[in-house]
Amino acid sequence: MDKALIKKNGRKSKASRFARTFVIRLGFYFLLMALSFIFLYPFITMIVKSLMTDDDLYNITVKWLPSQATWSNYDIAFRRMRFRAYVWNNVIVCGAATVGHALSCSLTGYAFARYKFRLKNALFALVILMMIVPVQVIIFPLYKQYSDWGWLNSFLPLIVPTFFGMGLNGGFFIFLFRQFFMGLPYEMEEAARVDGCGPLRIYARIMLPMAQAPLLVCGVLSLVWHWNDYFEPGVYITAPAYRMLPSVLPNLYALLNQENHTMIQMNELEGIVFNEAMLMAATFLCIIPILIAYLFLQRRFMEGVERSGLTGM
């Protein structure tokens, strides 16, 4: 009788634990889906509206699905924003700046992690200060400096500083490489010194090939941040030939807000009314290269984040 009662109570306790675990998991997944929807809502809205016709935009019954998908919005936005010309500006700046950050920040981070020199702590404090102080605070002296050097209306203010460990979030990349190199054993460097390798050769032949994880993280983040940067290119570049893709969108938004939707006066686009659907299509065209790159690099990027020391910050 006692054994049967114990088994019965054991089954009840297992059932209660299973029910409690199920409820907790259900609540966790519900919270996860709710948070995911909050982050995905702007993208869903952008894609849905970019496929709407002009009638769908003013029809209150059309919310999530357009009555008829209109791909011509992308063709008009592609030509109106001169995507083919401006995307190459983004490619040049982002490619050169990413290479500059990878080379200079990895070398600087290696020096902070493995060598002792005077004022090392003070200099590293300046690197941390670079991470804290936003570029908007020092934009006026930077603009004056680049103006005196004749660098305005060119890509030089966006590219050259990255080869000296500066530029957009350069301090963060130095910190990233320093944390990674500090976790590597010293025996490999000592063996290389015994074989006659100098500091630069040790860095180039041994340490840099081992830093694939932080190099990938640095490359992806630098590429995304430079691609989406609007502030600095908007300050240093005013010539239309050197504009970046994000700086084109405000002009399209201003066109959208003109009274009575002023007609576009551009060759084959003359007579076409620019609407909100075309603006959403232009916005999606600006971010789709980054989305494609991230889809291909997503798995290796997450592995790089785990191995580079970012999770321990």
Side-chain angles (χ1 to χ4, degrees):
M1 185 69 181
D2 293 339
K3 292 182 178 180
L5 184 60
I6 292 173
K7 288 183 179 180
K8 184 177 181 180
N9 291 336
R11 286 194 296 266
K12 287 184 178 180
S13 62
K14 288 183 179 180
S16 62
R17 285 198 301 268
F18 175 79
R20 186 166 56 252
T21 304
F22 176 77
V23 171
I24 293 174
R25 287 185 177 180
L26 185 63
F28 174 76
Y29 285 122
F30 177 79
L31 178 62
L32 185 62
M33 287 188 295
L35 293 175
S36 300
F37 180 77
I38 293 174
F39 284 102
L40 292 176
Y41 178 78
F43 293 95
I44 297 173
T45 303
M46 175 180 60
I47 295 173
V48 170
K49 283 196 173 183
S50 67
L51 297 174
M52 288 185 177
T53 62
D54 198 44
D55 294 334
D56 291 339
L57 294 174
Y58 299 100
N59 189 347
I60 59 175
T61 61
V62 178
K63 179 64 176 177
W64 292 109
L65 293 176
S67 59
Q68 182 179 0
T70 307
W71 298 99
S72 60
N73 293 333
Y74 286 90
D75 179 57
I76 297 172
F78 183 90
R79 290 181 288 169
R80 179 64 182 91
M81 67 190 301
R82 297 177 59 193
F83 182 86
R84 188 173 299 173
Y86 290 131
V87 73
W88 284 111
N89 293 343
N90 277 57
V91 170
I92 294 172
V93 172
C94 295
T98 299
V99 173
H101 270 150
L103 294 177
S104 63
C105 295
S106 62
L107 181 60
T108 307
Y110 173 68
F112 277 119
R114 313 300 271 194
Y115 290 95
K116 295 180 180 180
F117 48 88
R118 295 181 60 184
L119 302 178
K120 174 181 176 179
N121 294 332
L123 291 174
F124 188 69
L126 292 178
V127 173
I128 300 299
L129 189 64
M130 290 171 57
M131 299 170 54
I132 299 174
V133 177
V135 68
Q136 288 82 358
V137 176
I138 58 174
I139 193 62
F140 289 110
L142 285 176
Y143 183 88
K144 179 69 167 55
Q145 174 180 314
Y146 296 144
S147 177
D148 293 340
W149 292 353
W151 285 10
L152 298 183
N153 285 325
S154 70
F155 298 145
L156 295 178
L158 307 176
I159 296 176
V160 174
T162 62
F163 284 88
F164 295 91
M166 299 176 62
L168 189 61
N169 296 319
F172 170 76
F173 296 131
I174 293 175
F175 179 81
L176 170 68
F177 283 104
R178 174 185 176 271
Q179 294 300 105
F180 176 80
F181 286 126
M182 286 182 64
L184 296 180
Y186 286 88
E187 288 76 12
M188 294 178 296
E189 293 171 279
E190 294 175 356
R193 291 192 185 96
V194 172
D195 292 337
C197 292
L200 290 179
R201 191 174 180 184
I202 293 175
Y203 161 77
R205 294 291 185 88
I206 298 175
M207 307 305 290
L208 191 61
M210 296 180 62
Q212 293 184 6
L215 281 173
L216 180 62
V217 174
C218 173
V220 172
L221 293 181
S222 180
L223 178 66
V224 172
W225 288 339
H226 279 94
W227 188 280
N228 295 327
D229 187 27
Y230 170 77
F231 179 73
E232 287 193 83
V235 172
Y236 302 137
I237 299 175
T238 57
Y242 293 97
R243 282 180 180 174
M244 310 281 284
L245 278 177
S247 64
V248 181
L249 293 178
N251 297 333
L252 299 181
Y253 186 78
L255 179 64
L256 177 67
N257 288 334
Q258 288 180 6
E259 186 177 359
N260 296 325
H261 295 291
T262 303
M263 298 296 181
I264 301 173
Q265 303 297 326
M266 283 187 62
N267 299 330
E268 69 273 13
L269 299 180
E270 184 175 355
I272 298 178
V273 178
F274 193 81
N275 55 34
E276 186 180 358
M278 299 171 188
L279 178 63
M280 292 298 170
T283 306
F284 187 67
L285 286 175
C286 285
I287 67 174
I288 195 171
I290 292 298
L291 292 178
I292 294 174
Y294 183 74
L295 287 176
F296 283 102
L297 299 174
Q298 178 183 5
R299 178 174 297 180
R300 296 191 62 188
F301 174 75
M302 296 307 298
E303 293 176 355
V305 170
E306 295 175 358
R307 296 175 56 189
S308 60
L310 281 178
T311 53
M313 290 176 56

